[in-house]
Amino acid sequence: MRIRKPWTEWDDEINFKSLPGAMGVFEIADEDRKTIYIGKASGKSPFGLRGELFLCFADTERLEDANWTHPKMGQVLPTIKEKAKYYRYEVNHMYYSRWIEILTRFNEDHGRLPPANLEDQEDIPKLGRYHWKTQESAMED
Amino acid sequence: MVDFKITDEQQLIIDNVRRLIRDEIRPLEEELDPDAFSLPESEKDRLVGMVKDMGLYKMDVPTEYGGPGVDLVTRTLVAEELSQHRAGLYSPAYGVFGSGPPGQLYNATEEQKEKYLWPVIRGEKSSFFGLSEPSGGSDPARAIKTRGVKDGDDWVINGGKLWNSGADTADFGIVYVRTDPSKGREGVSAFIVDTDTPGFRVERLVQVLRAHYTTELSFTDMRIPKENLLGEEGGGFALANEYLSMQRIPYSATGLGVAIYAHEMATDWAKQRETFGQPLANRQAIQWMLVDNEIDIRTGRWACLAAADLAQRGEPFRFESSMAKLVSTEGAGRVVDRSMQIFGGLGMSKDLPLERWYRELRIRRIGEGPSEVQRIVMARDLLNIRSGS
């Protein structure tokens, strides 16, 4: 199943401490709340979900005075840079298989991956099939 | 009695596999996600090519089916090497050695072999194994509720399965179904089920402790042609039992490989890490942990090789196969746990593979038959008790 949480609009003034530094999965959506990217904060993510979400939404200047910054800050995927407006996340130590689960569900519902995942260099394992679509897929297309 | 001397040919195979794991797989893992279970396709293709050059691709496929036909003892020795990397317990060498078809298909009809066995050997199809259900997995003779009813030339199947790894990506599965509710184990039949059959549905991917997931399946009025019955009607349980007993041996040795690597890491660390002016290795507490690791590894190895030797000679091996599974999986869990203790805080971090193995080895005490069921199997043999049907 997909992440069962309401979308939150990104706020440039957000206190970064309100976002978890833990491992997990997240989705990014455009202004129509259509998913454009399914990501993960892995065991190698230097600042967990907090770092990955800042990477998607914030610019380098935003963290100028902070005592932390994601080493890939500024290297955002084109579709995310252009369209990202909402996010939702789930803290999950089994981030890898959960990430694949969400990608598989999306792929089955839409017959394709989210646009920013297609731009990403991240290697995605072979995705499986459910042999059925969810009701929400009709509303998203 | 088993001869534990490794032949020159076996040593050559072990050396080749060890080199590939240490020189190719481990460096690649440095770049991968700590929980990754697959390689980028380009790397996988390159390594599969190397394995084919070694003559070890799909080493469990018999020579009469075009494979290298590597014997079970050698495969057990190789399994111990294949898993000596981060993802090794559940994705030994990331699958670059390939794997043969499910053993049950060697008993299939010629038509079934043509449609399912040969495509798997050629790498065109993949399969899953559907035995356990929400009602249980350790006692399939009683727990299988999925029902198959004959209707003309078809069987109509209703029910579902749980814990089916790979069912979401497979082309077909071997599914165990109750075809006669008045009988126990003799009422269970095996069917080959194409995953694109109407009524076949993956309900969800089931998240577990390890990096990979399993699946929950449902079957609703799923019509399977009678040609897809595997073996005799009512003969499904015997097919599954034979397959599981044989599988258990290399499966057990895979767990040992991870223990060996963890033990090597802990030993090196104990020699170099100093506390209170001395290396950890000088402390008796640490020395005892390392010795206990070594005992667990050697006990597991002997149990696995003894079982493999018996099975290879065609002698009864069910007791030994269960003992190998029990001793090696529980021992490997202890080895990884002690190794984490020796590493201290670093042992808990995702910088090292230990935490991943710790999680995965916990599953190992349940998967392919829990430790308690292995003891039941052994007790039945010792006491000459026939299991209830």
Side-chain angles (χ1 to χ4, degrees):
Chain A
M1 71 174 70
R2 301 271 291 278
I3 296 175
R4 295 263 185 223
K5 283 183 178 167
W7 291 107
T8 303
E9 188 173 349
W10 180 260
D11 176 359
D12 280 334
E13 300 305 313
I14 189 172
N15 179 353
F16 69 83
K17 290 178 185 172
S18 66
L19 294 170
M23 298 177 286
V25 290
F26 61 94
E27 288 182 81
I28 305 291
D30 61 14
E31 60 183 1
D32 298 322
R33 291 181 168 80
K34 287 183 178 173
T35 300
I36 57 172
Y37 184 66
I38 296 168
K40 62 178 161 47
S42 81
K44 284 189 172 175
S45 298
F47 300 99
L49 285 161
R50 176 188 303 162
E52 298 308 313
L53 289 170
F54 263 76
L55 187 62
C56 289
F57 286 102
D59 51 30
T60 317
E61 291 75 43
R62 170 71 174 82
L63 293 172
E64 248 173 20
D65 298 328
N67 61 0
W68 68 280
T69 185
H70 197 298
K72 289 186 177 171
M73 210 63 192
Q75 299 173 35
V76 65
L77 295 164
T79 299
I80 294 178
K81 190 178 176 70
E82 187 189 338
K83 295 183 172 175
K85 192 166 177 68
Y86 296 94
Y87 67 96
R88 57 188 178 189
Y89 64 81
E90 181 183 294
V91 173
N92 194 322
H93 283 222
M94 299 299 108
Y95 61 87
Y96 197 80
S97 51
R98 182 74 174 109
W99 177 62
I100 290 166
E101 180 187 19
I102 300 168
L103 285 168
T104 305
R105 188 65 272 171
F106 187 97
N107 191 46
E108 178 98 0
D109 281 348
H110 301 277
R112 59 168 172 80
L113 290 172
N117 286 94
L118 293 171
E119 297 166 355
D120 201 356
Q121 297 297 309
E122 171 95 50
D123 184 63
I124 296 174
K126 182 186 175 189
L127 298 176
R129 289 211 55 201
Y130 286 90
H131 304 273
W132 58 284
K133 291 181 190 293
T134 60
Q135 285 181 341
E136 62 213 74
S137 65
M139 292 181 282
E140 286 174 340
D141 268 335
Chain B
M1 191 58 195
V2 65
D3 177 3
F4 282 122
K5 191 169 181 299
I6 292 174
T7 65
D8 290 345
E9 191 186 355
Q10 285 171 331
Q11 192 60 56
L12 186 68
I13 292 174
I14 290 168
D15 290 344
N16 276 333
V17 172
R18 187 174 291 169
R19 251 197 310 277
L20 187 127
I21 297 297
R22 294 181 187 208
D23 299 347
E24 300 288 344
I25 299 282
R26 285 189 194 171
L28 276 175
E29 276 188 330
E30 295 295 318
E31 304 303 317
L32 296 177
D33 193 295
D35 272 13
F37 50 77
S38 62
L39 289 174
E41 282 303 312
S42 58
E43 294 293 352
K44 187 167 182 182
D45 291 346
R46 181 177 69 82
L47 293 176
V48 166
M50 287 176 72
V51 172
K52 284 181 176 170
D53 289 345
M54 287 180 201
L56 293 175
Y57 190 63
K58 293 185 186 276
M59 67 179 94
D60 55 334
V61 175
T63 47
E64 60 265 38
Y65 290 91
V70 176
D71 63 75
L72 186 60
V73 171
T74 309
R75 278 193 280 127
T76 303
L77 291 164
V78 168
E80 208 180 272
E81 297 295 330
L82 280 179
S83 59
Q84 293 187 33
H85 60 98
R86 186 188 286 266
L89 189 60
Y90 279 98
S91 302
Y94 291 96
V96 300
F97 281 78
S99 59
Q104 301 98 317
L105 284 183
Y106 292 116
N107 297 321
T109 64
E110 288 309 311
E111 291 73 23
Q112 289 169 341
K113 284 181 183 174
E114 202 56 48
K115 197 170 171 193
Y116 299 103
L117 181 133
W118 287 106
V120 174
I121 290 175
R122 291 194 297 265
E124 296 161 5
K125 283 187 175 179
S126 66
S127 66
F128 72 91
F129 182 68
L131 183 68
S132 296
E133 299 191 5
S135 51
S138 291
D139 179 19
R142 291 169 187 80
I144 290 176
K145 307 284 184 212
T146 293
R147 188 78 172 88
V149 177
K150 211 180 253 178
D151 183 31
D153 283 345
D154 295 336
W155 285 87
V156 179
I157 296 175
N158 281 284
K161 294 285 169 185
L162 191 61
W163 313 124
N164 316 277
S165 296
D168 60 318
T169 53
D171 300 287
F172 70 93
I174 295 175
V175 175
Y176 293 84
V177 174
R178 185 160 300 285
T179 46
D180 186 344
S182 69
K183 295 177 180 167
R185 58 176 55 187
E186 285 80 18
V188 175
S189 304
F191 290 90
I192 305 172
V193 172
D194 290 301
T195 55
D196 59 1
T197 306
F200 177 97
R201 183 169 150 131
V202 181
E203 284 299 328
R204 62 186 178 118
L205 306 187
V206 184
Q207 305 293 328
V208 291
L209 268 177
R210 71 180 171 108
H212 210 310
Y213 51 85
T214 176
T215 64
E216 180 172 355
L217 308 176
S218 69
F219 314 133
T220 308
D221 295 330
M222 186 171 71
R223 296 189 84 87
I224 302 297
K226 69 177 191 314
E227 293 76 26
N228 280 29
L229 175 69
L230 186 59
E232 298 292 317
E233 185 181 333
F237 189 83
L239 267 180
N241 224 5
E242 188 184 328
Y243 170 70
L244 289 172
S245 297
M246 191 73 86
Q247 266 309 87
R248 219 165 261 151
I249 303 169
Y251 180 89
S252 307
T254 306
L256 281 179
V258 161
I260 290 166
Y261 190 16
H263 181 45
E264 275 178 16
M265 289 167 60
T267 306
D268 287 346
W269 182 250
K271 286 180 186 167
Q272 59 176 277
R273 180 68 161 186
E274 289 197 359
T275 56
F276 308 106
Q278 283 195 58
L280 283 176
N282 286 3
R283 311 280 176 201
Q284 191 181 48
I286 304 297
Q287 290 170 356
W288 287 17
M289 285 191 216
L290 293 173
V291 169
D292 287 344
N293 277 358
E294 189 68 32
I295 291 169
D296 275 330
I297 289 166
R298 291 193 196 197
T299 312
R301 176 181 291 145
W302 290 334
C304 289
L305 288 174
D309 178 64
L310 279 175
Q312 192 164 295
R313 285 193 279 121
E315 293 186 22
F317 66 99
R318 207 170 57 150
F319 183 100
E320 286 75 10
S321 156
S322 284
M323 189 167 81
K325 203 274 180 180
L326 175 75
V327 168
S328 65
T329 52
E330 297 210 339
R334 288 191 295 268
V335 170
V336 169
D337 183 64
R338 286 188 207 107
S339 302
M340 291 171 87
Q341 194 70 16
I342 292 168
F343 267 97
L346 191 55
M348 310 300 126
S349 80
K350 279 194 171 294
D351 292 354
L352 298 184
L354 294 167
E355 63 81 31
R356 178 171 177 174
W357 297 334
Y358 184 78
R359 285 183 279 125
E360 293 179 337
L361 277 165
R362 184 62 189 85
I363 301 173
R364 226 50 179 193
R365 283 163 50 198
I366 303 282
E368 299 278 326
S371 296
E372 294 70 24
V373 171
Q374 305 306 336
R375 286 187 172 93
I376 289 172
V377 170
M378 287 189 275
R380 279 180 189 155
D381 265 26
L382 272 181
L383 302 168
N384 207 16
I385 302 170
R386 192 181 181 281
S387 60
S389 58

